[in-house]
Structures are given as structure tokens and as C-alpha cells.
Amino acid sequence: MSTTSVQLPGWINYGVIPLINLMLALFFSGLVVWAIGENPFEALQLLVAGALGRGEGIGFTLFYTTSFIFTGLSVAVAIHAGLFNIGSEGQAYLGGLGAALVALSLDRYVPWYVTMPFAVIGAALFGAACAAIPAWLQAKRGSHIVITTIMFNFITSSLMNYVLVHLLIVPGKMAPETRTFLPGGQLPKLDWLIALFGGKLGAAPLNVSFLIALVMCFLVWVLIWRTKLGYEMRTLGISPSAAGYAGIPYAKIVMIAMLISGGLAGMMALNPVMGASGRLQIEFVGGAGFVGIAVSLMGRNHPAGIVLSALLFGILYQGGAELSFDMPSITRDMIVVIQGLVILFAGALEYMLRPAIVRLYQQVGGGK
């Protein structure tokens, strides 16, 4: 019997297989480090210590994790509806404009906790608006969502360059960025969270958007697995023909799924725009939208898995920066290679070992 038709327990699918793939990725990453003349065990120790060894490092790790949670959720929602949204980068970029306009409008008059809900809505609406046209083209004209969302990344980038350079730039300044938000437009740091574990946040920009990201994880879980809309999205994603026979409206579900996906990507902007820099800057997304694709795939498109995979990439980003400082021979490009190996084994080759694991599972009497 084909191993692809064998149902494995969840603890194997979502625990054992990803863990083995991660170990393989670390093994081959270690070979790369060894090949350039460095000790892979020392490199791993430095990477983990840089990301998790002190309060400030943990703060930076969770800061990166926050952005990856938002973009990972964005990709996952679309995937459940059978759509591959590669436009989270551009949607997050435009979401930054929505958040910034709210902050610039309200920061003089109200405290941050009044500005925050309006900023969340603004970021989500602008991110959803960026996803709306590709969604409509897919739903009504059959234009492939991958192509249109990729193109909208470039369109959004050009639009944001124009807005920052010609409309929102501070008069007399060369830097294409808005003015710094007043305290009423900035999200406070989570010093108390790190202090609970005896650490100090230091210069790390970990902020309230981390908590918002965790709330979004719960809401996405409720949406996908506890609502009629989520059932319709999953049905469409598994079998469009079956969804059609069941009377599930294709165009409506595509539009709703992509608008939610774009909204989640847009909310990612809260972290760097209102939390870290306190202003809207050029290219603030920094590739987080593309990392979200890997985060979603590694997390099996489930919010809990996305949190864990986002944390892994947060560790790689922060620990990698510390590692390249402590081991100059391991450059930033080498860190990207290591991240690529993690994506390769934990994402693209996630089922490479599945046939062998299925046979082993059957031999020990767990399957038929």
C-alpha cells in the first residue's frame, strides 16, 4: 500500500517529522560551518546564546517573531482556501501607511491605548485593500493569484516610495520618512514581560504588537476550525469541485480569504512602524512577508505551529546577527545559507522522510 495514504497520528505529523527535518537542517548547516574552518558546536552555542541568553537578546528574538507571526498567519489563511498569497510583503508595506496615518492623526490628542485599536483597523484595511485587486482578478477573471500578488509587491513599493518622498516627508529633511510619532502614536515596550523572567529588555524593541499577534493566532484558529466560513474555506482549498457541488460560492470565499490574509499582513506593520522606529520609513518590512511563507509551511498552516516556526526564525535572525559578530568568518550571507537549509528541509522537503517513518510506524504495530 502507498505510504501517502497512511494516516499518521498528529504527534508524528506535527512533532516528530518537523523535528527530524530540523535536525537534518542543523546537521548540514554544521557541515557548512565546518567547511569554512569553524567549530559547528561552538557556532550553535553562540547562536542560541545570542538569541536566548539574555533579556535583550530575547527581546530582539521576540520582536522578529512578532513580524513573522503576522505574515505567517497571512499566508496560512490564504493556503487554507487553496490560494498562495505571495503578496504579504507588499500588503504589510501598505498596512504601514494605514497605521502611520492613524498615528499621525491621533498622537497629539489621545494616549497610545486609544490610538492602538484604530491603528490596527487602519493597518488591516490598507493591507486588505492591497490584496483586494489580486483577489478580484482571481475570483472573476481567473488570473493566477501568485502572479498578481508578486506584481503588487512592486506596485506597492513604488507607491510607498512616492508617498514618502513627495507627501509625508518632513519638510527640510532628506530622509524619506514621516515625522517621529508622539507617545500617543507609539506602542509601549514590554519591559515587564522580560522582567518577569529576571531579565532586562535593554534596547530591544519588543512591544505590545507581540500580544496582538498572539490574539490574532487565537482568532485565526477560531475562524478556520470553529466557524462556517472556515469550513467553507477549507473545503474550497481541499477540493474546489466538491465546494462547487456543495453550493459554496467560489468568488465570495476567494475574496473574503484574501481580504483577511491581506489584513493580517497589514497588521505586521504595527511592530516596526509604531513599535520599533515610531515612524514610517522606506522598506521597513525587510523581507518579513517572504519569510512568512516559510513560517506558514513549516508550521503546517496552523497558528500554534506558526508561533513555533516564527520563533525559530526569530532565533535565527537574532542569533545569526550575534554569531556573525562573534565569528567574523561566518558572514551574514552564511546565516542566510543556514536559514535556507532550514527552509529546504523543514519546508520544501518536509515529506522526504515520511515513507520511512510510515513503514517504521507500521512495523511497531501502530498502523495497518
mmCIF file of all heavy atoms in Angstrom, residues 125-154:
data_model
loop_
_atom_site.group_PDB
_atom_site.id
_atom_site.type_symbol
_atom_site.label_atom_id
_atom_site.label_comp_id
_atom_site.label_asym_id
_atom_site.label_seq_id
_atom_site.Cartn_x
_atom_site.Cartn_y
_atom_site.Cartn_z
ATOM 1 N N LEU A 125 -7.074 47.398 7.127
ATOM 2 C CA LEU A 125 -7.830 47.857 5.964
ATOM 3 C C LEU A 125 -6.909 48.137 4.779
ATOM 4 O O LEU A 125 -7.212 47.775 3.634
ATOM 5 C CB LEU A 125 -8.626 49.106 6.315
ATOM 6 C CG LEU A 125 -9.854 48.899 7.207
ATOM 7 C CD1 LEU A 125 -10.513 50.239 7.529
ATOM 8 C CD2 LEU A 125 -10.868 47.969 6.544
ATOM 9 N N PHE A 126 -5.779 48.777 5.029
ATOM 10 C CA PHE A 126 -4.859 49.077 3.936
ATOM 11 C C PHE A 126 -4.224 47.803 3.395
ATOM 12 O O PHE A 126 -4.017 47.660 2.180
ATOM 13 C CB PHE A 126 -3.783 50.063 4.406
ATOM 14 C CG PHE A 126 -4.198 51.504 4.304
ATOM 15 C CD1 PHE A 126 -5.265 51.995 5.050
ATOM 16 C CD2 PHE A 126 -3.527 52.379 3.468
ATOM 17 C CE1 PHE A 126 -5.658 53.323 4.960
ATOM 18 C CE2 PHE A 126 -3.902 53.712 3.369
ATOM 19 C CZ PHE A 126 -4.977 54.185 4.116
ATOM 20 N N GLY A 127 -3.896 46.854 4.278
ATOM 21 C CA GLY A 127 -3.368 45.575 3.811
ATOM 22 C C GLY A 127 -4.390 44.800 3.005
ATOM 23 O O GLY A 127 -4.070 44.202 1.959
ATOM 24 N N ALA A 128 -5.649 44.831 3.467
ATOM 25 C CA ALA A 128 -6.719 44.153 2.737
ATOM 26 C C ALA A 128 -6.951 44.810 1.385
ATOM 27 O O ALA A 128 -7.227 44.134 0.385
ATOM 28 C CB ALA A 128 -8.002 44.163 3.565
ATOM 29 N N ALA A 129 -6.852 46.147 1.336
ATOM 30 C CA ALA A 129 -7.034 46.856 0.069
ATOM 31 C C ALA A 129 -5.985 46.436 -0.949
ATOM 32 O O ALA A 129 -6.267 46.318 -2.147
ATOM 33 C CB ALA A 129 -6.976 48.366 0.299
ATOM 34 N N CYS A 130 -4.759 46.200 -0.470
ATOM 35 C CA CYS A 130 -3.683 45.759 -1.368
ATOM 36 C C CYS A 130 -3.969 44.366 -1.917
ATOM 37 O O CYS A 130 -3.546 44.036 -3.033
ATOM 38 C CB CYS A 130 -2.351 45.775 -0.619
ATOM 39 S SG CYS A 130 -0.912 45.408 -1.647
ATOM 40 N N ALA A 131 -4.666 43.537 -1.143
ATOM 41 C CA ALA A 131 -4.984 42.178 -1.587
ATOM 42 C C ALA A 131 -6.270 42.112 -2.399
ATOM 43 O O ALA A 131 -6.540 41.090 -3.046
ATOM 44 C CB ALA A 131 -5.101 41.247 -0.374
ATOM 45 N N ALA A 132 -7.062 43.181 -2.390
ATOM 46 C CA ALA A 132 -8.402 43.135 -2.987
ATOM 47 C C ALA A 132 -8.367 42.951 -4.502
ATOM 48 O O ALA A 132 -9.124 42.144 -5.051
ATOM 49 C CB ALA A 132 -9.170 44.405 -2.630
ATOM 50 N N ILE A 133 -7.491 43.682 -5.182
ATOM 51 C CA ILE A 133 -7.467 43.590 -6.644
ATOM 52 C C ILE A 133 -6.972 42.221 -7.115
ATOM 53 O O ILE A 133 -7.603 41.597 -7.983
ATOM 54 C CB ILE A 133 -6.633 44.736 -7.247
ATOM 55 C CG1 ILE A 133 -7.304 46.074 -6.945
ATOM 56 C CG2 ILE A 133 -6.467 44.548 -8.761
ATOM 57 C CD1 ILE A 133 -6.532 47.286 -7.455
ATOM 58 N N PRO A 134 -5.861 41.694 -6.583
ATOM 59 C CA PRO A 134 -5.486 40.322 -6.958
ATOM 60 C C PRO A 134 -6.579 39.308 -6.646
ATOM 61 O O PRO A 134 -6.792 38.358 -7.419
ATOM 62 C CB PRO A 134 -4.231 40.057 -6.117
ATOM 63 C CG PRO A 134 -3.652 41.402 -5.869
ATOM 64 C CD PRO A 134 -4.831 42.316 -5.735
ATOM 65 N N ALA A 135 -7.284 39.493 -5.521
ATOM 66 C CA ALA A 135 -8.368 38.567 -5.173
ATOM 67 C C ALA A 135 -9.483 38.630 -6.213
ATOM 68 O O ALA A 135 -10.014 37.601 -6.654
ATOM 69 C CB ALA A 135 -8.916 38.904 -3.784
ATOM 70 N N TRP A 136 -9.856 39.852 -6.623
ATOM 71 C CA TRP A 136 -10.916 40.013 -7.622
ATOM 72 C C TRP A 136 -10.499 39.431 -8.966
ATOM 73 O O TRP A 136 -11.296 38.772 -9.639
ATOM 74 C CB TRP A 136 -11.253 41.494 -7.772
ATOM 75 C CG TRP A 136 -12.397 41.741 -8.706
ATOM 76 C CD1 TRP A 136 -13.728 41.716 -8.411
ATOM 77 C CD2 TRP A 136 -12.309 42.037 -10.106
ATOM 78 N NE1 TRP A 136 -14.484 41.977 -9.531
ATOM 79 C CE2 TRP A 136 -13.637 42.185 -10.585
ATOM 80 C CE3 TRP A 136 -11.252 42.198 -10.995
ATOM 81 C CZ2 TRP A 136 -13.913 42.480 -11.918
ATOM 82 C CZ3 TRP A 136 -11.523 42.493 -12.313
ATOM 83 C CH2 TRP A 136 -12.845 42.635 -12.775
ATOM 84 N N LEU A 137 -9.252 39.642 -9.348
ATOM 85 C CA LEU A 137 -8.761 39.094 -10.616
ATOM 86 C C LEU A 137 -8.775 37.568 -10.599
ATOM 87 O O LEU A 137 -9.069 36.923 -11.614
ATOM 88 C CB LEU A 137 -7.341 39.612 -10.894
ATOM 89 C CG LEU A 137 -7.228 41.103 -11.235
ATOM 90 C CD1 LEU A 137 -5.760 41.526 -11.300
ATOM 91 C CD2 LEU A 137 -7.937 41.406 -12.546
ATOM 92 N N GLN A 138 -8.452 36.968 -9.445
ATOM 93 C CA GLN A 138 -8.501 35.511 -9.322
ATOM 94 C C GLN A 138 -9.944 35.017 -9.348
ATOM 95 O O GLN A 138 -10.277 34.045 -10.027
ATOM 96 C CB GLN A 138 -7.837 35.077 -8.015
ATOM 97 C CG GLN A 138 -8.060 33.620 -7.625
ATOM 98 C CD GLN A 138 -7.189 32.658 -8.412
ATOM 99 O OE1 GLN A 138 -6.035 32.926 -8.665
ATOM 100 N NE2 GLN A 138 -7.749 31.513 -8.795
ATOM 101 N N ALA A 139 -10.819 35.700 -8.615
ATOM 102 C CA ALA A 139 -12.199 35.239 -8.463
ATOM 103 C C ALA A 139 -13.027 35.434 -9.727
ATOM 104 O O ALA A 139 -13.847 34.572 -10.081
ATOM 105 C CB ALA A 139 -12.859 35.960 -7.288
ATOM 106 N N LYS A 140 -12.797 36.547 -10.414
ATOM 107 C CA LYS A 140 -13.666 36.906 -11.545
ATOM 108 C C LYS A 140 -13.024 36.701 -12.910
ATOM 109 O O LYS A 140 -13.734 36.499 -13.902
ATOM 110 C CB LYS A 140 -14.096 38.371 -11.411
ATOM 111 C CG LYS A 140 -14.947 38.668 -10.184
ATOM 112 C CD LYS A 140 -16.284 37.946 -10.258
ATOM 113 C CE LYS A 140 -17.208 38.387 -9.109
ATOM 114 N NZ LYS A 140 -18.530 37.719 -9.177
ATOM 115 N N ARG A 141 -11.703 36.755 -12.982
ATOM 116 C CA ARG A 141 -11.045 36.677 -14.281
ATOM 117 C C ARG A 141 -10.103 35.485 -14.407
ATOM 118 O O ARG A 141 -9.529 35.254 -15.465
ATOM 119 C CB ARG A 141 -10.258 37.976 -14.546
ATOM 120 C CG ARG A 141 -11.151 39.197 -14.751
ATOM 121 C CD ARG A 141 -11.941 39.068 -16.048
ATOM 122 N NE ARG A 141 -12.788 40.237 -16.279
ATOM 123 C CZ ARG A 141 -14.054 40.311 -15.952
ATOM 124 N NH1 ARG A 141 -14.645 39.284 -15.322
ATOM 125 N NH2 ARG A 141 -14.766 41.373 -16.217
ATOM 126 N N GLY A 142 -9.920 34.750 -13.326
ATOM 127 C CA GLY A 142 -9.061 33.566 -13.388
ATOM 128 C C GLY A 142 -7.580 33.873 -13.435
ATOM 129 O O GLY A 142 -6.766 32.967 -13.695
ATOM 130 N N SER A 143 -7.185 35.118 -13.184
ATOM 131 C CA SER A 143 -5.757 35.469 -13.142
ATOM 132 C C SER A 143 -5.118 34.802 -11.925
ATOM 133 O O SER A 143 -5.640 34.907 -10.814
ATOM 134 C CB SER A 143 -5.587 36.985 -13.058
ATOM 135 O OG SER A 143 -6.194 37.615 -14.168
ATOM 136 N N HIS A 144 -3.979 34.151 -12.143
ATOM 137 C CA HIS A 144 -3.391 33.363 -11.052
ATOM 138 C C HIS A 144 -2.937 34.267 -9.915
ATOM 139 O O HIS A 144 -2.230 35.263 -10.118
ATOM 140 C CB HIS A 144 -2.212 32.541 -11.567
ATOM 141 C CG HIS A 144 -1.911 31.353 -10.703
ATOM 142 N ND1 HIS A 144 -1.380 31.468 -9.444
ATOM 143 C CD2 HIS A 144 -2.095 30.026 -10.914
ATOM 144 C CE1 HIS A 144 -1.233 30.262 -8.914
ATOM 145 N NE2 HIS A 144 -1.662 29.369 -9.785
ATOM 146 N N ILE A 145 -3.318 33.908 -8.706
ATOM 147 C CA ILE A 145 -3.060 34.739 -7.533
ATOM 148 C C ILE A 145 -1.576 34.913 -7.276
ATOM 149 O O ILE A 145 -1.127 35.956 -6.770
ATOM 150 C CB ILE A 145 -3.774 34.140 -6.292
ATOM 151 C CG1 ILE A 145 -3.932 35.202 -5.193
ATOM 152 C CG2 ILE A 145 -3.022 32.924 -5.759
ATOM 153 C CD1 ILE A 145 -4.981 36.202 -5.481
ATOM 154 N N VAL A 146 -0.759 33.911 -7.615
ATOM 155 C CA VAL A 146 0.682 34.026 -7.405
ATOM 156 C C VAL A 146 1.254 35.159 -8.254
ATOM 157 O O VAL A 146 2.036 35.986 -7.762
ATOM 158 C CB VAL A 146 1.384 32.691 -7.734
ATOM 159 C CG1 VAL A 146 2.900 32.871 -7.752
ATOM 160 C CG2 VAL A 146 1.002 31.625 -6.711
ATOM 161 N N ILE A 147 0.875 35.202 -9.521
ATOM 162 C CA ILE A 147 1.402 36.226 -10.419
ATOM 163 C C ILE A 147 0.955 37.614 -9.988
ATOM 164 O O ILE A 147 1.763 38.552 -9.894
ATOM 165 C CB ILE A 147 0.951 35.955 -11.871
ATOM 166 C CG1 ILE A 147 1.383 34.549 -12.312
ATOM 167 C CG2 ILE A 147 1.504 37.019 -12.803
ATOM 168 C CD1 ILE A 147 2.866 34.330 -12.286
ATOM 169 N N THR A 148 -0.326 37.774 -9.707
ATOM 170 C CA THR A 148 -0.840 39.109 -9.384
ATOM 171 C C THR A 148 -0.303 39.623 -8.049
ATOM 172 O O THR A 148 0.003 40.816 -7.920
ATOM 173 C CB THR A 148 -2.379 39.105 -9.355
ATOM 174 O OG1 THR A 148 -2.846 38.079 -8.475
ATOM 175 C CG2 THR A 148 -2.934 38.851 -10.750
ATOM 176 N N THR A 149 -0.167 38.753 -7.064
ATOM 177 C CA THR A 149 0.349 39.225 -5.772
ATOM 178 C C THR A 149 1.830 39.573 -5.862
ATOM 179 O O THR A 149 2.291 40.525 -5.210
ATOM 180 C CB THR A 149 0.118 38.181 -4.663
ATOM 181 O OG1 THR A 149 0.592 36.888 -5.094
ATOM 182 C CG2 THR A 149 -1.351 38.088 -4.303
ATOM 183 N N ILE A 150 2.594 38.828 -6.652
ATOM 184 C CA ILE A 150 4.001 39.190 -6.862
ATOM 185 C C ILE A 150 4.089 40.580 -7.492
ATOM 186 O O ILE A 150 4.871 41.438 -7.064
ATOM 187 C CB ILE A 150 4.707 38.157 -7.750
ATOM 188 C CG1 ILE A 150 4.936 36.852 -6.984
ATOM 189 C CG2 ILE A 150 6.053 38.703 -8.237
ATOM 190 C CD1 ILE A 150 5.542 35.756 -7.832
ATOM 191 N N MET A 151 3.289 40.805 -8.533
ATOM 192 C CA MET A 151 3.330 42.104 -9.217
ATOM 193 C C MET A 151 2.921 43.236 -8.280
ATOM 194 O O MET A 151 3.474 44.337 -8.333
ATOM 195 C CB MET A 151 2.421 42.074 -10.447
ATOM 196 C CG MET A 151 2.883 41.119 -11.534
ATOM 197 S SD MET A 151 4.583 41.411 -12.064
ATOM 198 C CE MET A 151 4.479 43.069 -12.701
ATOM 199 N N PHE A 152 1.960 42.967 -7.395
ATOM 200 C CA PHE A 152 1.512 44.025 -6.493
ATOM 201 C C PHE A 152 2.559 44.365 -5.439
ATOM 202 O O PHE A 152 2.526 45.466 -4.870
ATOM 203 C CB PHE A 152 0.175 43.648 -5.845
ATOM 204 C CG PHE A 152 -0.997 44.270 -6.543
ATOM 205 C CD1 PHE A 152 -1.429 43.785 -7.766
ATOM 206 C CD2 PHE A 152 -1.646 45.359 -6.003
ATOM 207 C CE1 PHE A 152 -2.496 44.365 -8.428
ATOM 208 C CE2 PHE A 152 -2.715 45.959 -6.655
ATOM 209 C CZ PHE A 152 -3.140 45.463 -7.874
ATOM 210 N N ASN A 153 3.493 43.466 -5.171
ATOM 211 C CA ASN A 153 4.613 43.825 -4.301
ATOM 212 C C ASN A 153 5.395 44.988 -4.897
ATOM 213 O O ASN A 153 5.779 45.937 -4.197
ATOM 214 C CB ASN A 153 5.546 42.628 -4.097
ATOM 215 C CG ASN A 153 4.962 41.588 -3.160
ATOM 216 O OD1 ASN A 153 4.161 41.891 -2.275
ATOM 217 N ND2 ASN A 153 5.358 40.340 -3.342
ATOM 218 N N PHE A 154 5.650 44.941 -6.205
ATOM 219 C CA PHE A 154 6.399 46.007 -6.873
ATOM 220 C C PHE A 154 5.561 47.284 -6.979
ATOM 221 O O PHE A 154 6.083 48.394 -6.802
ATOM 222 C CB PHE A 154 6.840 45.538 -8.263
ATOM 223 C CG PHE A 154 7.837 44.417 -8.235
ATOM 224 C CD1 PHE A 154 7.444 43.103 -8.416
ATOM 225 C CD2 PHE A 154 9.184 44.673 -8.021
ATOM 226 C CE1 PHE A 154 8.358 42.072 -8.385
ATOM 227 C CE2 PHE A 154 10.115 43.652 -7.993
ATOM 228 C CZ PHE A 154 9.704 42.344 -8.169
#
